[in-house]
Amino acid sequence: MVSLNDLRTPKTNTWCPGCGNFGILMAFKKALIETGIEREDAVMVSGIGCHGKIVNYVNINGFHGIHGRVLPTAQGIKLANPDLTVIGFAGDSDQYNEGWGHFAHAVRANVDMTLIVHDNMVLGLTTGQATPTSQQGFKSKSTPFGVIPPMLNPIAHALVSDATFVARGYSGDMFHLKNLIVEAIKHRGFAFIDVFQPCVSFNYLNTYAWFSKRVYKLEDENHDVTDHKKALKKALEWGDKIPIGIFYKKERPIYSDSLSQVKDENLTKLSKQNIDITSAMKEMM
Ligand SMILES: Cc1ncc(C[n+]2csc(CCOP(=O)(O)OP(=O)(O)O)c2C)c(N)n1
Ligand code: SF4
């Protein structure tokens, strides 16, 4: 069983003091410990952005991929080696701008993995431009007169794309977030958690104080996680009260259940001896 000490790395953490990413990092480490997954059985995949550095700070296998491409990489790893627990970490620009096309299809495909989006409603690493989840009117370096279109609603989008696990966390409530990550990892299918992650350097609107005043837990209202209509209604709530917790959960076949090539086979365990790709190469050249 891993300990917090086992998960420590020698890398210097370069996130700004007070950044919401710290809450996600600690919640994830605690979730790994609680699920009892061994270090060599888990893989993290991240995109480009402040969030992406998280792979440097957890002592498990990690792949720091390119911007917007967390999902194809993570899905490929899981399909090739179903024995691994795969967790993707994306930024809100990373996932909801450049990676947006992948999102809807990952939800539909239902590969057995977890996606955690660090949703600070701003581009952090590139110093403060607007993202799809920035609120209408949000003033930033890219929108000095305020964001014009309405904000994107990833929770509602996931729900209408037949998602099997949809949740929202808040990095200011680390223990609640840890519980969500544990449930997401245990879920058989694509588990999606959007996490409010205050960016203390570039988002002066959606601060800890702003979130803490508004968020409430769905479980405190005895929310029924099997009620799709109710989940959608909750997904549309925004303003003085904003729900966090599991919106919706259900079982449906995972992608590899219907993929004969990987259904009963771990591709990484196939013999790599006597493989001759010469004829295939000739055909392609
Ligand atoms: C293909 C590509 N497009 C754009 C960039 C420039 N870029 C670097 S980080 C970043 C986004 C950071 O914002 P977000 O994904 O919200 O993550 P955060 O830094 O807030 O964690 C962008 C657009 C890039 N590195 N690669
Ligand atoms: S710029 Fe924002 S998101 Fe990036 S490390 Fe600093 S506080 Fe965190």
Side-chain angles (χ1 to χ4, degrees):
M1 166 100 68
V2 286
S3 67
L4 266 185
N5 215 25
D6 298 328
L7 295 173
R8 202 162 281 150
T9 72
K11 299 285 173 205
T12 304
N13 193 309
T14 57
W15 287 330
C16 309
C19 171
N21 282 326
F22 286 102
I24 301 178
L25 175 65
M26 191 47 84
F28 176 59
K29 285 183 174 180
K30 285 186 175 290
L32 270 184
I33 294 167
E34 191 167 318
T35 49
I37 296 165
E38 296 299 337
R39 288 184 42 237
E40 59 276 18
D41 296 330
V43 185
M44 310 169 72
V45 178
S46 72
I48 302 294
C50 297
H51 70 275
K53 300 177 192 174
I54 196 167
V55 296
N56 298 328
Y57 308 143
V58 187
N59 191 15
I60 63 172
N61 299 299
F63 188 101
H64 195 167
I66 53 173
H67 191 55
R69 299 295 177 264
V70 170
L71 285 170
T73 313
Q75 289 170 306
I77 292 171
K78 182 66 186 181
L79 290 177
N81 190 348
D83 295 341
L84 296 171
T85 296
V86 181
I87 308 104
F89 295 85
D92 48 320
S93 168
D94 188 46
Q95 193 59 68
Y96 304 144
N97 266 326
E98 220 137 325
W100 183 235
H102 296 295
F103 181 77
H105 301 297
V107 172
R108 291 171 55 231
N110 205 30
V111 171
D112 184 18
M113 60 162 286
T114 297
L115 173 71
I116 296 172
V117 178
H118 303 223
D119 193 352
N120 53 18
M121 303 172 179
V122 76
L123 285 93
L125 195 70
T126 48
T127 71
Q129 299 83 7
T131 75
T133 50
S134 300
Q135 284 185 234
Q136 239 175 347
F138 177 70
K139 289 191 176 145
S140 73
K141 283 185 182 164
S142 60
T143 54
F145 304 109
V147 168
I148 295 169
M151 66 194 291
L152 182 140
N153 187 328
I155 302 284
H157 271 278
L159 286 168
V160 296
S161 305
D162 207 15
T164 59
F165 184 105
V166 183
R168 183 192 277 140
Y170 169 38
S171 66
D173 192 337
M174 202 256 292
F175 285 102
H176 180 257
L177 177 59
K178 181 266 296 172
N179 290 338
L180 292 181
I181 299 175
V182 168
E183 290 305 310
I185 289 175
K186 284 189 193 159
H187 176 72
R188 188 174 190 268
F190 183 74
F192 163 56
I193 314 177
D194 182 83
V195 183
F196 292 145
Q197 175 249 310
C199 170
V200 294
S201 296
F202 298 110
N203 189 336
Y204 303 127
L205 172 66
N206 310 106
T207 60
Y208 285 102
W210 191 92
F211 284 119
S212 296
K213 205 162 62 182
R214 288 168 171 80
V215 297
Y216 75 93
K217 294 178 183 130
L218 286 166
E219 53 270 35
D220 289 347
E221 290 198 344
N222 295 322
H223 173 69
D224 176 2
V225 298
T226 64
D227 186 338
H228 194 259
K229 265 195 188 152
K230 190 76 190 288
L232 252 179
K233 205 171 164 207
K234 287 284 167 194
L236 298 177
E237 269 183 26
W238 192 265
D240 293 342
K241 280 185 83 200
I242 304 174
I244 58 172
I246 301 176
F247 285 72
Y248 186 64
K249 200 163 85 160
K250 75 165 179 183
E251 297 293 328
R252 79 175 155 86
I254 60 171
Y255 195 75
S256 50
D257 285 343
S258 310
L259 203 62
S260 57
Q261 302 92 314
V262 295
K263 190 166 174 274
D264 304 310
E265 211 143 35
N266 181 326
L267 297 185
T268 61
K269 298 208 167 118
L270 293 179
S271 165
K272 288 159 198 83
Q273 304 287 310
N274 303 322
I275 295 176
D276 183 1
I277 58 165
T278 323
S279 65
M281 287 296 283
K282 266 192 193 142
E283 211 177 294
M284 313 257 267
M285 302 299 265

